[in-house]
């Protein structure tokens, strides 16, 4: 659609989609002038806008079409360009084929003409009259004969002209001897053949004499030496004989048989070592076409490709050609077998060196040299074999690759994970860096040569340009005839030599250099002295140079001062450009290296930017980078050699600098790996820090680079093996592991997320993410809002609150707080959590697997926190403690499978539980329970293998120091067992006094029940001074209380009385309580009207003034005065002023005396209280009661609350009777200040 059509269509659309205003007025056509003008103006503006939009859209469409046409044109142009290039290439190849065809045909024609002329020489030789006309002077003839010994291709025409003018009939033998002893080059054979043809055409005796003379060269036969001395002579003479045979100088029958004999002797004597390979190759290349009918495969293919008929030489009989061809093919077969043998030997050596690298981390120098020799020999043999195969037009033998190399390549493929259509090199380049920004920082450098004129860095770049003329001069010194002779060989071997060089480089980088640690002290000091001398020489040279101007000097100093502020890519690139354009002098370059080397050891952030600066300057200033690398590496080796434990920041700076230079390819990977090898070899102290920082900087780069991957992997594995064998400190071990996994991250399998209902996910979020010390109340409120009527939600909550090992260890107390808060509203949930926790503790003792140890620790800690929050009683805690000591042990004393003597984990569980809640067992009945348990706990410890591990010993001592600081441990197992036996005997004597109340149960049954319950139950029954008995009566039924048992044989229950008699309320007790209450009431009423007098001396300092004023009376520096604070009131504000009162005044003396008296009174009160508690404990232990009135008060019933004597709250089931309520009330009145339970925990209910 054209632009006009597009506008017309748009206009129609506009009239349909947006009617003018006058149509909205009813369409009667009666409008005012203002309405007409407005509508006309609006229509005009809308038309303009839409026309502009249409024009814009038209322009966009035209641009898109133009871009499409441009792209299509570019594609067509690219296609045409490719086709044109293909046509040009095809045309060039056709021209080459035509030229080759012309050269081959011309060569055959020239040899045919020369052969025809030589065969007819017998009839065409000149007579004596012709020879008399020629010059027969002795001087010229002798000179000519001497020239024959050194003739070259450049002398062909001159020698031919001179031969035509001389009569050499008397000098034929001398000429034969000269030609036979001449040291020809391969390029000189053509000249020698022509001169021999001239001699043959003029002198009949020449050919026979020359054949005998040349045959003498091969009298030595075939040598077994690796490099025979006559190798070049054999090559040239054999070719000369072959050329003269083809040209017809020698008789066919005699010459061909001699040539076949010589060649057969060389081939059959050299089928193992192939020392004469160059002789056979030269013969096949230059004479194979005529003597063996050979044509190289490349030439044959290019001729056949363009339809040219391959020319065939008919100068030699086909039978003779077949004989020569068979000899050469037999030699090639032996050569192919030799190549396969060398290939296997080389693979064996490489495999051995690779195994040594993997096992020892280094390869011996002898093995490296052997591998280099084998590699060079194999490459040379491979190149020669490929050349001979091309000449014979046969295929190369199959050389299988080493399986270990294929495995290594598979490891690289797995490491770099190349994508589809991506090569291994590209994948390795992409895997070197963490992200794209990092790759850009280290790889995308500015090209200073493209920005800065070459004259500015010509002087600094001259160091690399100087060797080029020398190389050219060396090449020019090579004789031209040698270059011509080996031109074809160099073409064929060029590709093989290049590949060999690349392989040698890869091998050098992949094999660890067998270099020792840093040099000896003398060598290092010598190196330092040489460095100092070099610095002195440099300073002398700099002084000798013209002194720079003050402005230039200040400019460089200013540039150095600004260098530490270049902390981004743009700044450092700008600094590099400025240095190269304005400050590039030899002295400044040396100062720059020194400044970069002396960077502040705390400014590690500058090292990447300084390395980028050096990498940017390196193409233009090639002396900066190597000098800096040499200095840094030398400093690193010196710091490692010193072995001191100082200046760790400097050591870290040096290795990080090396790593950054490595990532910029300024420092070679082999040097960096060698530094890493030195550090790994001496893996201790600061070397560990240096290793970790070096791997953190460039470890990933080295590990993921294909040319350094193998060596880096071996060093990392060696480092990890040393870490395990050396038993390093935990900090060092963690550092090494972090460095290793930073280079070689472990494979992380993607976790399959379990699908859960949203309500379950919300519960997990509350417990695992939101729960902490400050959010416990909010979490409890959210739990209360859950749909508890849903059984699945209730069960999942119980499961989540029970599996406390999935919560952070520090949040276990918060989970116990949540359970305590929920118990007030969801009591059944709290009961299920506690029951499930106890069941899990029991199951884990039955399983006893090491992978559940953390789970067991968390569960035991959770139980202690539940006791702290009064969710379980102390009897439950002690039952778990005794279960940990006794569960799974055999009655005959044999070792237990569940708790062997070598296992100390239950000791850790006991310590964790007591460390969590044991500090509440410090008074009353629970204190004596814990004392008895500690006796059995020591017996349990003596039952383990001795001595205890130091960790377990410290754990037990720390626990006892907290719980019982004055407790003395048993020194032998005998003492521990005697103490336990004494406790059991004492409790057994008390159990004998237990009498049955109901039933026919015998005392022996009661004793068995008590013995089964343990000695602690008897301790509970013997505590008549404590209020445990009243709490048990108030509880109604307590499954853990002593003195009750059920007889499964009878329906009636059998009850046993405890050691103390049950108190029966009486009228005297009620009267006593009434009198006691009246006395307390009267006392309170009488003292209610008393006013508290405050001493005027002890007026405290107000709170808002304590920060600026001392509340005590410190002496001043002189010690003669005491500072007092005087409180004044000025208006509505209080002011405090410091007053210095003399120390010998009456005021200070009275205050001191009063303070001393108060301290003495407190000390006396403390002594009396402690003495009373000790006497009370002794009376309780002996079963005496010396305070009957106090005992009666304690035995009064508790009025309210369900507080247990051990501090734990009980979940009571069943109604509370009136007697129990009275006991609770009396208990509460007496135990307001004597509770032994946990006072720190919150009381939820």
């Amino acid at each position: 659609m054209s632009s006009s059509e597009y506008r017309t269509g748009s206009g129609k659309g506009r009239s349909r989609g947006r009617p003018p205003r006058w149509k909205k007025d009813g369409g009667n056509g009666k409008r005012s002038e203002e309405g007409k003008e407005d509508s006309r103006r609006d229509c005009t503006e809308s038309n303009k806008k839409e026309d502009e939009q249409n024009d814009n859209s038209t322009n966009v469409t035209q641009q898109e079409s133009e871009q499409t046409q441009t792209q299509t044109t570019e594609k067509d142009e690219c296609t045409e360009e490719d086709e044109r290039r293909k046509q040009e290439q095809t045309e060039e190849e056709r021209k080459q084929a035509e030229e080759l065809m012309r050269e081959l045909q011309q060569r055959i024609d020239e040899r045919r003409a020369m052969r025809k002329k030589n065969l007819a020489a017998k009839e065409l030789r000149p007579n004596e009259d012709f020879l008399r006309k020629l010059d027969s002077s002795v001087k010229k003839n002798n000179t000519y004969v001497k020239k024959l010994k050194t003739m070259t291709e450049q002398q062909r025409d001159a020698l031919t002209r001179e031969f035509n003018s001389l009569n050499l009939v008397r000098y034929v033998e001398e000429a034969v001897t000269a030609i036979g002893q001449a040291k020809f080059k391969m390029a000189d054979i053509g000249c020698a053949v022509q001169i021999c043809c001239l001699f043959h055409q003029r002198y009949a005796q020449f050919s026979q004499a020359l054949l005998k003379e040349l045959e003498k060269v091969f009298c030595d036969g075939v040598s077994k030496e690796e490099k025979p001395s006559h190798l070049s002579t054999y090559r040239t003479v054999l070719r000369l004989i072959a050329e003269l045979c083809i040209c017809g100088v020698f008789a066919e029958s005699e010459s061909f048989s001699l040539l076949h004999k010589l060649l057969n002797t060389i081939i059959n004597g050299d089928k193992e070592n192939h020392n004469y390979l160059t002789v056979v190759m030269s013969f096949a290349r230059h004479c194979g076409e005529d003597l063996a009918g050979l044509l190289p495969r490349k030439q044959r293919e290019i001729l056949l490709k363009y339809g040219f008929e391959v020319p065939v030489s008919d100068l030699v009989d086909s039978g003779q050609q077949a004989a020569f061809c068979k000899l050469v093919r037999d030699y090639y077969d032996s050569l192919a077998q030799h190549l396969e043998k060398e290939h296997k030997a080389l693979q064996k050596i490489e495999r051995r060196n690779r195994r040594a690298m993997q096992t020892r981390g280094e390869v011996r120098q002898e093995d490296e040299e052997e591998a280099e020799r084998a590699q060079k020999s194999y490459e040379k043999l491979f190149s020669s074999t490929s050349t001979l195969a091309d000449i014979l037009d046969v295929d190369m033998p199959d050389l299988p690759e080493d399986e270990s190399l294929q495995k290594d390549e598979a490891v690289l493929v797995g490491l770099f994970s190349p994508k589809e259509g991506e090569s291994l090199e590209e994948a390795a380049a992409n895997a070197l860096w963490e992200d794209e920004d990092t790759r850009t920082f280290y790889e995308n450098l500015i090209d200073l040569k493209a920005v800065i004129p070459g004259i500015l860095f010509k002087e600094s770049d001259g160091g690399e340009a100087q060797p080029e003329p020398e190389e050219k001069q060396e090449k020019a010194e090579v004789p031209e005839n040698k270059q011509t002779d080996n031109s074809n060989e160099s073409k064929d071997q060029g590709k093989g030599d290049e590949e060999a060089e690349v392989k040698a480089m890869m091998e050098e980088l992949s094999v660890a250099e067998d270099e020792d640690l840093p040099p000896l002290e003398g060598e290092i000091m010598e190196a330092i002295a040489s460095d100092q001398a070099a610095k002195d020489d440099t300073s002398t040279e700099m002084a000798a140079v013209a002194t720079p101007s003050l402005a230039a000097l200040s400019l460089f100093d200013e540039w150095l001062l600004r260098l530490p502020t270049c902390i981004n890519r743009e700044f450092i690139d700008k600094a590099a450009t400025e240095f190269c354009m304005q400050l590039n002098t030899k002295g400044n370059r040396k100062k720059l290296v020194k400044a970069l080397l002396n960077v502040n050891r705390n400014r590690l952030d500058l090292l990447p930017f300084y390395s980028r600066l050096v990498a940017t300057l390196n193409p233009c200033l090639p002396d900066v980078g190597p000098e800096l690398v040499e200095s840094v590496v030398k400093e690193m080796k010196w710091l490692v050699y010193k072995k001191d434990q100082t200046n760790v920041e400097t050591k870290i700076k040096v290795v990080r600098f090396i790593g950054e230079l490595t990532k910029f390819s300024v420092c070679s990977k082999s040097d960096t790996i060698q530094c890493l090898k030195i550090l790994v070899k001496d893996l201790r102290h600061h070397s560990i820090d240096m290793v970790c920082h070096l791997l953190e900087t460039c470890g990933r780069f080295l590990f993921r680079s294909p040319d350094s991957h193998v060596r880096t992997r071996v060093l990392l594995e060696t480092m990890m093996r040393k870490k395990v064998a050396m038993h390093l400190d935990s900090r060092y071990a963690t550092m090494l592991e972090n460095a290793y996994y930073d280079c070689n991250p472990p494979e992380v399998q993607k976790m399959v997320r379990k699908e859960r209902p949203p309500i379950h996910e919300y519960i997990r979020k509350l417990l695992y993410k939101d729960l902490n010390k400050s959010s416990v109340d909010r979490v409890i409120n959210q739990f209360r809002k859950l749909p508890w009527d849903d059984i699945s939600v209730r069960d999942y909550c119980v499961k989540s609150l029970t599996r406390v090992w999935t919560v952070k260890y520090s949040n276990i107390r918060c989970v116990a707080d949540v359970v305590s808060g929920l118990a007030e509203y969801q009591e059944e949930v709290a009961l299920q959590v506690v029951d499930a926790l106890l069941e899990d503790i029991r199951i884990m003792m039955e399983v006893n697997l090491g992978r559940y140890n953390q789970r067991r620790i968390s569960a035991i800690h959770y139980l202690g926190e539940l006791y702290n929050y009064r969710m379980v009683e102390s009897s439950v805690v002690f039952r778990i403690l005794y279960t940990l000591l006794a569960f799974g042990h055999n009655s005959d004393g044999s070792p237990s499978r569940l708790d062997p003597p070598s296992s100390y984990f239950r000791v850790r569980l006991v310590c964790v539980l007591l460390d969590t809640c044991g500090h509440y067992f410090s008074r009353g009945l629970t204190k004596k329970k814990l004392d008895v348990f500690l006796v059995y706990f020591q017996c349990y410890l003596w039952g383990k293998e001795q001595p205890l591990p130091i960790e377990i010993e410290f754990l037990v001592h720390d626990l006892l120091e907290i719980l019982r600081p004055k407790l003395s441990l048993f020194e032998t197992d005998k003492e521990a067992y005697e103490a336990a036996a004494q406790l059991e005997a004492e409790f057994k004597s008390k159990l004998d006094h237990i009498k049955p109340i109901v039933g026919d149960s015998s005392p022996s049954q009661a004793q068995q029940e008590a013995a089964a319950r343990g000695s602690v139950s008897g301790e509970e029954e013997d505590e008549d001074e404590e209020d445990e008995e009243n709490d048990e009566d108030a509880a109604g039924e307590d499954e853990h209380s002593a003195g009750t048992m059920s007889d499964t044989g009878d329906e009636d229950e059998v009850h046993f009385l405890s050691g103390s008699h049950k108190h029966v309320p009486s009228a005297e007790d009620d009267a006593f309580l009434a009198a006691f209450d009246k006395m307390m009431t009267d006392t309170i009423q009488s003292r209610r009207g008393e006013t508290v007098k405050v001493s005027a001396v002890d007026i405290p300092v107000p709170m808002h003034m304590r920060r600026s004023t001392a509340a005590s009376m410190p002496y001043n520096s002189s010690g003669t005065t005491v500072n007092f604070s005087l409180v004044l009131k000025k208006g509505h504000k209080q002011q405090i002023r410091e007053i210095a009162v003399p120390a010998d005044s009456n005021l200070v003396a009275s205050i001191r005396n009063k303070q001393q008296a108060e301290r003495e009174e407190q000390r006396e009160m403390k002594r009396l209280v402690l003495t009373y508690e000790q006497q009370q404990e002794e009376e309780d232990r002996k079963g005496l009661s010396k305070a009957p009135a106090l005992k009666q008060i304690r035995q009064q019933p508790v009025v309210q609350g369900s507080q247990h004597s051990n501090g734990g709250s009980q979940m009571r089931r069943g109604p509370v009777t009136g007697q129990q309520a009275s006991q609770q009330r009396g208990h509460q009145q007496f135990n307001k200040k004597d509770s032994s339970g946990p006072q720190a925990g919150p009381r939820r209910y």
Side-chain angles (χ1 to χ4, degrees), residues 742-858:
D742 183 61
C743 301
N744 184 18
E747 295 183 0
V748 179
Q749 297 181 356
K750 186 177 180 180
M751 297 180 61
V752 180
R753 184 177 179 84
K754 185 178 180 181
E755 295 294 335
R756 296 184 179 89
I759 188 65
H760 292 183
E761 293 289 348
Y762 181 67
I763 294 173
R764 294 172 63 85
K765 174 181 175 298
L766 290 177
L767 285 178
Y768 300 150
K769 295 183 179 180
D770 298 347
L771 183 61
N772 53 52
K773 294 181 180 180
S774 61
S775 63
V776 172
D777 295 333
R778 187 178 64 83
V779 172
I780 293 175
N781 293 333
Q782 295 298 320
F783 265 96
R784 287 177 57 191
K785 296 177 182 179
L786 295 176
W788 295 101
D789 296 336
D790 190 351
I791 299 178
S792 62
V793 175
R794 177 186 292 268
D795 294 342
Y796 192 78
C797 286
V798 173
K799 177 182 176 182
S800 302
L801 294 173
T802 304
R803 297 171 61 87
V804 72
W805 49 88
T806 59
V807 186
K808 292 181 181 179
Y809 190 80
S810 58
N811 286 347
I812 292 179
R813 181 173 184 177
C814 301
V815 178
D817 196 355
V818 171
V819 175
S820 177
L822 283 176
E824 184 176 356
Y825 307 98
Q826 302 292 335
E827 185 176 357
E828 292 296 329
V829 173
L831 289 174
Q832 292 177 11
V833 170
V834 174
D835 292 341
L837 178 63
L838 296 177
E839 182 69 18
D840 184 79
I841 294 174
R842 176 61 178 258
I843 292 175
M844 289 298 101
M845 284 191 286
E846 295 176 356
V847 175
N848 192 27
L849 294 179
R851 64 174 180 267
Y852 296 130
N853 287 347
Q854 187 61 41
R855 175 175 176 175
R856 297 171 70 183
I857 290 286
S858 301

Side-chain angles (χ1 to χ4, degrees), residues 699-746:
R700 175 189 173 96
F701 178 79
L702 294 175
F703 186 79
R704 291 181 174 268
S705 297
D707 53 347
S708 60
H709 169 72
V710 176
R711 297 182 63 188
T712 308
R713 184 187 63 188
V714 171
L715 288 176
L716 290 177
E717 293 174 356
T718 305
M719 180 187 71
M720 296 304 291
R721 287 198 299 269
K722 279 194 170 186
K723 178 187 77 69
V724 176
M726 295 176 66
H727 303 288
L728 299 173
D729 184 64
S730 60
R731 185 178 73 89
Y732 286 142
T734 304
M735 290 173 59
L736 292 175
E737 290 178 358
N738 293 339
Y740 176 80
Y741 289 116
D742 183 61
C743 301
N744 184 18

Side-chain angles (χ1 to χ4, degrees), residues 353-419:
N353 292 348
R354 196 180 307 110
R355 190 181 301 112
M357 175 65 71
Q358 294 175 356
T359 54
R360 299 194 301 268
E362 59 182 358
V363 181
R364 295 184 304 174
Q365 184 69 23
E366 296 81 2
D367 296 338
E368 289 184 356
E369 294 176 355
E370 181 182 2
E372 291 178 0
R373 290 193 300 268
Q375 181 71 22
K376 292 179 180 178
S377 176
Y378 170 75
E379 290 171 357
K380 182 178 180 181
L381 187 64
F382 181 84
S383 176
S384 301
T385 305
S386 61
T387 303
L388 187 59
D390 181 72
I391 295 173
L392 296 175
D393 195 9
V394 294
D395 296 330
M396 284 283 292
D398 294 333
L399 302 175
E401 296 183 1
D402 193 0
E403 296 181 357
S404 59
L405 292 177
Q406 295 178 357
K407 292 180 180 179
D408 293 341
E409 185 175 357
V411 170
L412 292 177
V413 171
L415 177 66
F416 304 128
S417 301
K419 301 178 181 178

Side-chain angles (χ1 to χ4, degrees), residues 143-186:
T143 304
Y144 185 80
V145 171
K146 291 180 181 179
K147 289 181 180 180
L148 292 179
K149 293 184 178 181
T150 60
M151 60 179 171
T152 60
E153 182 67 22
Q154 289 80 10
Q155 299 174 355
R156 175 185 288 194
D157 297 337
L159 291 175
T160 302
R161 288 193 302 270
E162 192 174 355
F163 177 83
N164 293 330
S165 62
L166 294 176
N167 182 12
L168 297 170
V169 66
R170 297 179 182 179
Y171 297 91
V172 173
E173 293 182 359
E174 287 82 353
V176 168
T177 303
I179 294 174
Q181 296 178 357
K183 302 296 183 182
F184 295 114
K185 305 295 182 182
M186 294 301 294

